[in-house]
């Protein structure tokens, strides 16, 4: 079971009629999921996709997105799932950066592709998930075909042996970088296998779990819900999101869900509901939380809502998928801790040279193990900053850029980030990316983006804007512009107009001062 697509082949052989995915009104068993992935793989090879080429997927959480993951891998290709809220300029950037050969796209998102400016010479083919509705192929940057038509075309089946080994790149997971340009985290098959196994070990999941996923598959926390389900052969109940909790929550009871992965924003919505019914919670044996810390008050209330469930507090980064977990039995004693390294790995609080610091001291978290990424696609300098030489000549350890401290027993506590990245709704927001969009709006002279502490969002995005002389822009105009060019979670919640911004002696804007102000803490200049 070395490569990720082998997991699906095994599940289809061992439990063909076990439900693999429930998505809305659709249910697919393992034999069905496997058959679709095989048909897609055959179709991709028929289209000429070569070993190692990239397939990008711009679609919501849906069955085709899952099929695209396994079908691409089976064809020997590399997949990358993009946030369905991606706008045209960024999509163009991602297509060029990845050099994708094939784009799988949901019909309703075709206008985004049409909005991409400039050529896409490497894009060879567009596969449209059109749900039998047809689509207009004029103005698309490459020849297009309906997804279902490709699957039904009956391309010659692939030979049983896989194309490639476990050291091949499996996926690129794009994540926001502090310089503003996204970074494609490279994970090979062995990385994915290692991370999935380690996580399945401490969660103690078995083949009869039913996991409800409301997180985007484009986020690795969502993606691994799919990967781990297939690895263990259990059922994934896949929802588009958590925007309509009263429609989603009855699924807990209907599908007898045993596991429910959360981020703090989902937990906050859950805790605000007045009409949560106890029968929804009865089958749930475990809850997980990552991406940002749960407020201790929410931990207690979640436990009261789901009395049968163990709650796992965890911490991770896309660069190594997951770093730490707290055994649920420790939660009452150390509600603020994210525990220790996941099984088979090491994590320590380090000084500037990467050496362990004593308990209580704050330093950067450093991580080693088979889950550490292979680097950032096309970005050797950023890779060299994150991956440093390790104990062995071949080893590289991950410098997370996040500040932690350990208690006397070695349990880890998140203290803060070292770079400018903000986290809102559990998603990374690069202030530079938002500022670039603000600066592109005529009438904006200068803009700085900061994070304001918020109990539900983690950090709420605030834009400090200085207008050009004579500009009559109002908050509404600026927000409308942001909505048109940024994914939802990056759109500022508030715009604050300023007449100028504080600067350093060399004329640079004092971002750190503005961030400290937003958090209501004192700024110490260093
Ligand atoms: N990759 C992380 C995890 O699943 C989430 C994050 O990047 O914040 O733990």
């Amino acid at each position: 079971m070395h490569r990720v697509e082998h997991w699906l082949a095994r599940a289809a052989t061992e439990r063909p009629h076990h439900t693999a995915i429930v998505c809305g009104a659709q249910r697919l068993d393992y034999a069905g999921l496997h058959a679709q992935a095989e048909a897609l793989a055959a179709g991709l090879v028929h289209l000429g996709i070569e070993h190692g080429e990239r397939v990008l997927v711009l679609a919501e959480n849906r069955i085709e997105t899952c099929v695209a993951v396994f079908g691409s891998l089976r064809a020997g290709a590399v997949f990358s799932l993009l946030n369905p809220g991606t706008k045209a300029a960024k999509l163009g950037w991602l297509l060029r950066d990845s050099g994708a050969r094939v784009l799988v796209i949901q019909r309703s998102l075709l206008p985004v592709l049409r909005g991409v400016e400039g050529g896409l010479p490497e894009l060879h083919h567009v596969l449209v998930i059109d749900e039998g509705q047809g689509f207009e192929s004029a103005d698309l940057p490459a020849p297009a075909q309906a997804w279902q038509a490709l699957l039904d075309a009956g391309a010659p089946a692939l030979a049983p042996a896989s194309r490639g080994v476990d050291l091949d790149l499996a996926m690129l997971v794009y994540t926001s970088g502090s310089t503003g340009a996204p970074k494609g985290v490279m994970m090979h098959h062995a990385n994915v296998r290692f991370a999935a196994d380690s996580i399945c070990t401490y969660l103690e999941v078995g083949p009869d779990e039913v996991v409800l996923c409301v997180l985007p598959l484009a986020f690795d926390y969502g993606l691994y819900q799919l990967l781990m389900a297939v690895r263990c052969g259990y059922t994934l109940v896949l929802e588009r999101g958590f925007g309509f909790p009263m429609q989603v929550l009855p699924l807990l009871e209907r599908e007898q869900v045993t596991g429910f992965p959360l981020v703090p924003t989902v937990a906050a919505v859950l805790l605000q509901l007045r009409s949560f019914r106890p029968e929804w919670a009865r089958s749930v044996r475990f809850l997980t939380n990552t991406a940002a810390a749960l407020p201790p008050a929410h931990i207690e209330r979640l436990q009261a809502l789901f009395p049968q469930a163990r709650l796992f507090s965890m911490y991770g980064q896309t660069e190594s998928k997951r770093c730490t977990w707290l055994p649920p039995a420790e939660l009452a004693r150390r509600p603020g801790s994210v525990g220790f390294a996941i099984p088979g790995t090491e994590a320590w609080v380090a000084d500037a040279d990467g050496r362990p610091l004593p308990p209580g001291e704050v330093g950067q978290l450093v991580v080693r193990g088979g889950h550490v990424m292979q680097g950032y696609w096309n970005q050797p300098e950023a890779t060299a900053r994150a991956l440093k030489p390790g104990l062995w000549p071949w080893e590289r350890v991950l410098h997370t850029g996040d500040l932690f401290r350990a208690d006397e027993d070695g349990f880890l506590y998140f203290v803060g980030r070292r770079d400018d990245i903000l986290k809102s709704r559990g998603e990374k927001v690069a202030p530079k990316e938002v500022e670039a969009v603000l600066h592109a709006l005529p009438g904006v002279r200068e803009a700085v983006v900061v994070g304001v502490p918020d109990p539900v969002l983690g950090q709420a995005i605030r834009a400090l804007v200085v207008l050009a002389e004579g500009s009559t822009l109002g908050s509404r105009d600026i927000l409308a512009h942001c909505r048109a060019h940024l994914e939802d979670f990056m759109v500022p919640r508030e715009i604050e107009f300023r007449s100028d911004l504080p600067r350093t002696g060399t004329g640079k804007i004092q971002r750190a001062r503005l961030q400290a102000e937003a958090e209501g803490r004192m700024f110490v200049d260093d």
Side-chain angles (χ1 to χ4, degrees):
M1 297 304 108
H2 294 106
R3 285 177 51 105
V4 175
E5 72 271 17
H6 296 161
W7 309 349
L8 179 56
R10 180 178 61 183
T13 310
E14 290 179 0
R15 33 180 25 199
H17 305 306
H18 193 79
T19 304
I21 303 176
V22 180
C23 186
Q26 292 173 289
R27 303 180 87 83
L28 195 61
D29 62 17
Y30 273 103
L33 181 60
H34 183 245
Q36 290 197 27
E38 286 291 308
L40 175 63
L44 289 172
V45 170
H46 195 65
L47 287 176
I49 194 134
E50 302 270 355
H51 183 195
E53 287 183 339
R54 275 76 58 208
V55 175
L56 259 53
V57 183
L58 185 68
E60 294 174 303
N61 281 8
R62 53 190 302 151
I63 287 189
E64 291 88 341
T65 312
C66 306
V67 172
V69 165
F70 287 92
S72 304
L73 295 177
R74 175 72 171 106
V78 175
F79 72 88
S80 183
L81 305 185
L82 307 182
N83 186 317
T86 304
K87 299 297 189 302
K90 187 157 168 188
L91 177 61
W93 191 92
L94 291 166
L95 284 164
R96 286 182 199 107
D97 182 62
S98 62
R101 276 316 202 117
V102 174
L103 173 69
V104 175
I105 183 167
Q106 169 177 323
R107 178 179 181 267
S108 60
L109 299 173
L110 281 173
V112 185
L113 180 59
R114 289 207 172 87
V116 172
E117 288 175 8
L120 295 168
E122 286 173 274
L123 187 66
H124 196 75
H125 209 86
V126 180
L127 266 187
V128 183
I129 305 169
D130 74 339
E131 297 173 309
Q133 297 184 51
F135 62 92
E136 188 49 66
S137 56
D139 304 332
L140 292 177
Q145 182 177 3
W147 164 277
Q148 200 55 47
L150 182 78
L151 265 65
D152 293 343
L158 300 184
S162 50
R163 273 182 148 188
V165 300
D166 67 354
L167 297 177
D168 283 325
L169 186 60
M171 62 192 196
L172 291 176
V173 188
Y174 279 97
T175 171
S176 297
S178 53
T179 52
K183 293 190 273 196
V185 169
M186 300 190 284
M187 291 290 190
H188 60 29
H189 286 254
N191 286 140
V192 179
R193 184 181 69 225
F194 183 96
D197 279 354
S198 176
I199 299 168
C200 290
T201 304
Y202 71 75
L203 290 178
E204 297 176 20
V205 288
D208 293 321
E209 307 301 340
V210 179
V211 169
L212 173 62
C213 177
V214 300
L215 309 158
L217 291 170
F219 178 28
D220 70 354
Y221 187 28
L223 174 61
Y224 270 77
Q225 305 310 326
L226 168 68
L227 297 173
M228 296 191 308
V230 175
R231 174 94 175 132
C232 305
Y234 59 72
T235 301
L236 184 71
V237 181
L238 186 61
E239 281 293 303
R240 300 261 148 97
F242 201 53
F244 302 99
M246 297 311 279
Q247 284 169 25
V248 173
L249 290 168
L251 292 173
L252 292 173
E253 187 188 10
R254 195 189 84 191
E255 300 295 336
Q256 288 294 293
V257 166
T258 59
F260 189 10
L262 308 173
V263 291
T265 316
V266 170
V269 170
L270 208 56
L271 294 173
Q272 272 164 13
L273 298 174
R274 293 234 186 80
S275 42
F276 188 91
R277 302 166 71 114
E279 54 271 30
W280 292 343
R282 274 194 199 122
S283 56
V284 179
R285 291 193 309 100
F286 67 94
L287 300 168
T288 59
N289 180 71
T290 183
L294 277 175
H298 286 190
I299 293 180
E300 260 174 52
R301 289 172 57 205
L302 274 174
Q303 284 174 321
L305 217 51
F306 291 88
Q308 261 80 261
R310 302 201 295 158
L311 172 57
F312 293 81
S313 270
M314 320 180 297
Y315 157 83
Q317 275 206 334
T318 311
E319 286 81 347
S320 67
K321 167 55 202 158
R322 182 74 39 76
C323 304
T324 71
W325 73 292
L326 181 72
E330 293 287 341
L331 195 56
R333 221 161 15 129
R334 312 174 209 263
S337 172
V338 287
F340 40 68
I342 63 171
T345 74
E346 289 176 355
W348 65 95
V349 181
D351 65 13
D353 299 318
R355 278 187 300 258
L357 282 168
E361 284 191 36
V362 173
Q364 183 178 189
L365 192 76
V366 175
V367 172
R368 69 183 291 237
H371 56 339
V372 170
M373 67 166 177
Q374 302 307 303
Y376 299 114
W377 180 258
N378 282 340
Q379 298 193 38
E381 279 138 40
T383 301
R385 279 195 296 275
L387 297 181
K388 302 268 161 76
L391 186 59
W392 305 102
W394 59 85
E395 188 185 3
R396 289 184 299 172
V397 295
L398 173 66
H399 286 236
T400 62
D402 282 349
L403 300 176
F404 276 74
R405 68 179 168 76
D407 65 18
E408 290 295 332
D409 303 321
F411 287 81
L412 296 162
Y413 295 76
F414 178 83
V415 176
R417 297 195 58 92
R418 245 180 23 159
D419 56 22
D420 298 332
I421 294 278
L422 305 174
K423 272 226 164 168
S424 190
R425 294 196 226 160
E427 308 239 26
K428 278 193 196 172
V429 178
K432 293 226 171 72
E433 192 172 345
V434 182
E435 288 159 11
V437 164
L438 289 165
H439 285 137
L441 179 65
V444 169
R445 193 177 81 199
E446 256 173 353
V448 169
V449 165
V450 293
V452 187
D454 180 277
V456 174
L457 300 173
Q459 284 176 303
I461 310 297
R462 176 186 290 166
L464 310 174
V465 175
V466 181
L467 292 180
E469 244 181 64
S471 163
T472 54
L473 285 177
S475 308
R476 279 193 181 192
D477 310 308
I478 298 178
L479 288 174
H481 169 79
C482 288
R483 272 186 221 108
H485 293 94
L486 292 167
E487 282 127 276
D488 283 356
F489 63 90
M490 296 188 194
V491 174
R493 185 177 69 180
E494 49 207 62
I495 308 286
E496 189 182 310
F497 292 99
R498 297 262 178 129
S499 51
D500 54 26
L501 295 169
R503 288 172 192 284
T504 62
T506 56
K508 280 215 290 188
I509 293 175
Q510 284 183 303
R511 175 188 297 283
R513 171 186 292 273
L514 293 167
Q515 181 56 44
E517 234 175 61
E519 291 173 23
R521 60 181 164 83
M522 262 190 32
F523 173 65
V524 191
D525 209 348
D526 57 11

